[in-house]
Amino acid sequence: MKIKYLSAILASSLLIFGCGSDNDDEDIVVVEPPVVVVPPVVVDEAVDVDDATAITMQLNSFNATSGALTFTLTDAQGNAITNANDYDIVYFGYPDPASPSIKPKAWKHWHVTQRFQCDQTDSDNCVGLLQETQTLGQYTFDATGLDLESKAAAGAVEVFKVAVQIHGSNASNDITLIAADE
């Protein structure tokens, strides 16, 4: 009887503790995470305004009171355009289209303008201040001396618009009349 108990104890201890194994590291499968290749950081390409074959201007902001502008210049491939300094910027003032007038045909069509321009061949006579910001292709324009109100009856100018054209050696942007921020 004792032998039966002894063999049962030995069998259960073998089950509990198992037999020794010569598992080497060969049997262990180590799964390593895949190598992630981070693409290099692409810095926006910049093109000098005189090398651009096309110029696109996107107005970011226009303050009617001061005439301050912020805009972005890009070429046909979407690259930032730098070193812009030749420009024609014209501010327009219109009457309120909803206001009544005794001469509606003339009233609805009049406007006043003030032009700012710079031609690098005569940079001493530039009117206004165009500056490139820290962001590639972004510019601010300060319309020093903008006064559309003085060219019309007091309080008559209610709607403000601007047209911006930037010139390079090979291209200029299309002119679009853009309303001020509301």
Side-chain angles (χ1 to χ4, degrees):
M1 222 7 146
K2 290 184 179 180
I3 295 180
K4 286 184 184 177
Y5 288 122
L6 183 60
S7 60
I9 292 174
L10 285 175
S12 64
S13 58
L14 281 177
L15 285 176
I16 293 174
F17 296 110
C19 20
S21 166
D22 17 341
N23 278 350
D24 296 331
D25 289 339
E26 298 170 12
D27 296 338
I28 299 174
V29 177
V30 177
V31 178
E32 293 186 25
V35 176
V36 178
V37 177
V38 179
V41 176
V42 177
V43 177
D44 288 337
E45 297 270 336
V47 175
D48 189 272
V49 69
D50 290 329
D51 296 332
T53 56
I55 298 174
T56 302
M57 191 274 307
Q58 174 66 43
L59 186 67
N60 300 331
S61 68
F62 170 23
N63 182 306
T65 307
S66 67
L69 302 174
T70 303
F71 56 89
T72 305
L73 299 176
T74 55
D75 69 356
Q77 290 74 35
N79 299 321
I81 293 179
T82 60
N83 301 321
N85 44 31
D86 286 359
Y87 56 85
D88 284 308
I89 299 176
V90 182
Y91 291 86
F92 294 80
Y94 297 91
D96 180 3
S99 66
S101 171
I102 55 174
K103 298 179 183 177
K105 289 183 181 179
W107 177 253
K108 300 301 179 190
H109 298 287
W110 73 263
H111 64 273
V112 294
T113 63
Q114 189 168 348
R115 184 176 183 177
F116 295 82
Q117 68 184 79
C118 186
D119 181 355
Q120 280 312 111
T121 58
D122 187 17
S123 60
D124 293 337
N125 293 322
C126 291
V127 181
L129 179 61
L130 180 66
Q131 294 180 316
E132 195 166 356
T133 67
Q134 296 295 325
T135 304
L136 284 177
Q138 188 175 63
Y139 295 83
T140 60
F141 181 75
D142 182 17
T144 309
L146 177 65
D147 187 13
L148 293 174
E149 294 288 333
S150 69
K151 299 177 181 194
V157 177
E158 292 289 324
V159 178
F160 297 90
K161 297 183 180 183
V162 67
V164 178
Q165 188 170 38
I166 305 297
H167 307 285
S169 295
N170 301 317
S172 296
N173 65 298
D174 293 333
I175 299 175
T176 305
L177 198 56
I178 305 167
D181 300 334
E182 298 300 324

